[in-house]
Amino acid sequence: RSGLLTPSVGNSSVRGKTVGVGYFWAINRSFDLTYRGLFYSQTGFGHQADFRGVISKNTYFDASLYGITSTNANSVSPSGFVLSVEGKSDLGKGWEARGDLKSLSSFLFRQQFTQSFDEAVSSETHSVGYITKHWSDYGFNFVAERDVNFQSTAPNDEIVLRKLPEAQFTQREHEIGKLPVWLSFDSSFGLERRTEPEFQTRQFVQRVTFEPRVITAVHWHGFDLAPSFGVHEIAYDSRITNGVVSGENVQNFARDVSLDASLPPLSAIFNAPKWMGRGKGAKIKHVIEPRVTYRYVTGINDFNNVIRFDDSDILNNTNEVEYSLTNRLL
């Protein structure tokens, strides 16, 4: 039911004396609103509002807004806000829509007024909305996204990455006939944009990716081998050269070969030590699992000319071996 919330009183070395009052409004069976008004003696007025709703049995949303109106000219704490909205809707026939909006007025505001240490050191905001459907081994996503990376607390010192929009079509590992061979691929076509203090791209940069992969598996006397071969075809209609963005095309055709080898594990069973408190006859098993992964990538000839939008753009030539020993106590 609707009603006043318990008042709050506090003290902060940054914000000064704090007094807060709130009200919960049960609008109806499907919507409610919570509002808290806060007064900071060294800063000004704060506002916290949470609005939730269930539009139908398949659609809901949850919105939260926290803002400060600074009235003290000598305060180091700026006015600003943090907005968070998330929602989901089942569109029927396997289609689903989701959204997660994060908006921050400035990084300085987050550092001054965040409620936790994790938020204070997080210099990014991510907003994404997408329509998706998955069937069998296939998936389709239609995505709009905006990511902001704050470089410092200075105004406008930030990198803004945007997809508006991007279509993605993927296939998980799909067995070919009755052979121990699996095929998968990732593909996308998107309109991208990157803005930062040093440069900005044009409104829509076209990027096309097609990345198929074939993998197989061999098991022999405790050895597990998983070789794979992949192709990365990535094309852009813009490039960056010495910090200058131009409309020249960039196209990379990379080949990726990898081998993942799990060697036979070594194990032994011992009597459990007394400190484990398992009683007489208790056992402990020690297992050592060796693993080696080899990867070779070639064909990236224009790495320094690629504009970075996401992790698809950091693929580079490499020739590497990774090895590990995993110890388990059972």
Side-chain angles (χ1 to χ4, degrees):
R1 64 177 62 181
S2 302
L4 292 171
L5 303 177
T6 304
S8 60
V9 179
N11 184 49
S12 168
S13 59
V14 175
R15 307 169 192 174
K17 303 292 183 181
T18 304
V19 178
V21 294
Y23 185 79
F24 174 75
W25 180 21
I27 302 172
N28 54 40
R29 292 174 59 87
S30 300
F31 299 90
D32 62 53
L33 173 66
T34 303
Y35 173 78
R36 289 183 180 274
L38 302 163
F39 173 73
Y40 303 115
S41 61
Q42 295 184 13
T43 302
F45 294 95
H47 312 274
Q48 172 74 52
D50 297 286
F51 182 40
R52 304 181 301 173
V54 179
I55 299 176
S56 68
K57 65 178 182 179
N58 297 325
T59 304
Y60 76 88
F61 70 88
D62 191 346
S64 176
L65 175 65
Y66 176 64
I68 296 293
T69 303
S70 181
T71 58
N72 188 343
N74 298 321
S75 174
V76 297
S77 303
S79 298
F81 68 89
V82 179
L83 173 65
S84 175
V85 181
E86 62 178 32
K88 174 185 174 182
S89 180
D90 185 352
L91 305 178
K93 296 185 178 181
W95 291 92
E96 183 178 86
R98 285 178 175 267
D100 190 357
L101 168 66
K102 297 289 190 299
S103 182
L104 175 65
S105 60
S106 70
F107 188 41
L108 178 61
F109 175 78
R110 169 175 281 179
Q111 290 189 326
Q112 293 290 342
F113 286 98
T114 184
Q115 303 298 309
S116 70
F117 176 80
D118 289 340
E119 290 182 1
V121 299
S122 176
S123 59
E124 301 178 359
T125 61
H126 303 280
S127 300
V128 61
Y130 59 92
I131 298 175
T132 182
K133 182 178 181 178
H134 295 272
W135 68 99
S136 183
D137 292 330
Y138 301 93
F140 174 80
N141 301 308
F142 191 74
V143 183
E145 185 173 353
R146 185 177 187 269
D147 300 325
V148 181
N149 301 315
F150 296 95
Q151 304 300 292
S152 70
T153 57
N156 301 318
D157 189 13
E158 60 194 29
I159 299 174
V160 181
L161 306 171
R162 190 196 65 184
K163 301 179 188 295
L164 192 63
E166 182 173 272
Q168 304 167 350
F169 183 54
T170 63
Q171 179 190 28
R172 296 191 298 267
E173 288 79 4
H174 183 85
E175 190 171 8
I176 301 175
K178 296 183 179 180
L179 300 174
V181 178
W182 292 265
L183 172 66
S184 64
F185 67 82
D186 292 293
S187 62
S188 69
F189 173 77
L191 304 176
E192 322 286 335
R193 190 184 189 192
R194 180 181 178 119
T195 303
E196 59 180 270
E198 286 75 20
F199 71 90
Q200 69 176 21
T201 66
R202 61 190 184 196
Q203 188 76 5
F204 300 109
V205 174
Q206 295 182 29
R207 184 184 68 179
V208 181
T209 67
F210 181 65
E211 302 174 279
R213 176 173 294 276
V214 177
I215 185 171
T216 185
V218 178
H219 308 281
W220 179 75
H221 293 286
F223 290 86
D224 294 323
L225 304 178
S228 68
F229 173 73
V231 173
H232 306 268
E233 179 73 25
I234 308 176
Y236 311 80
D237 70 350
S238 290
R239 70 164 57 207
I240 183 169
T241 305
N242 298 324
V244 178
V245 178
S246 67
E248 297 181 36
N249 294 343
V250 175
Q251 185 170 358
N252 285 313
F253 179 69
R255 284 79 69 196
D256 178 353
V257 178
S258 66
L259 175 63
D260 190 0
S262 297
L263 308 182
L266 307 175
S267 64
I269 298 177
F270 306 93
N271 292 325
K274 294 181 179 180
W275 58 266
M276 295 187 68
R278 297 293 183 178
K280 187 177 181 180
K283 303 293 183 180
I284 185 171
K285 184 177 183 179
H286 181 204
V287 182
I288 302 176
E289 300 175 354
R291 187 170 190 150
V292 180
T293 302
Y294 171 73
R295 188 175 184 221
Y296 177 71
V297 180
T298 185
I300 302 294
N301 301 318
D302 296 298
F303 181 78
N304 293 326
N305 302 122
V306 172
I307 304 171
R308 318 293 177 202
F309 298 109
D310 55 35
D311 55 2
S312 297
D313 308 315
I314 61 175
L315 182 70
N316 200 5
N317 297 330
T318 186
N319 188 15
E320 61 190 32
V321 175
E322 179 182 343
Y323 52 90
S324 65
L325 288 175
T326 302
N327 288 268
R328 304 185 190 276
L329 293 177
L330 310 175

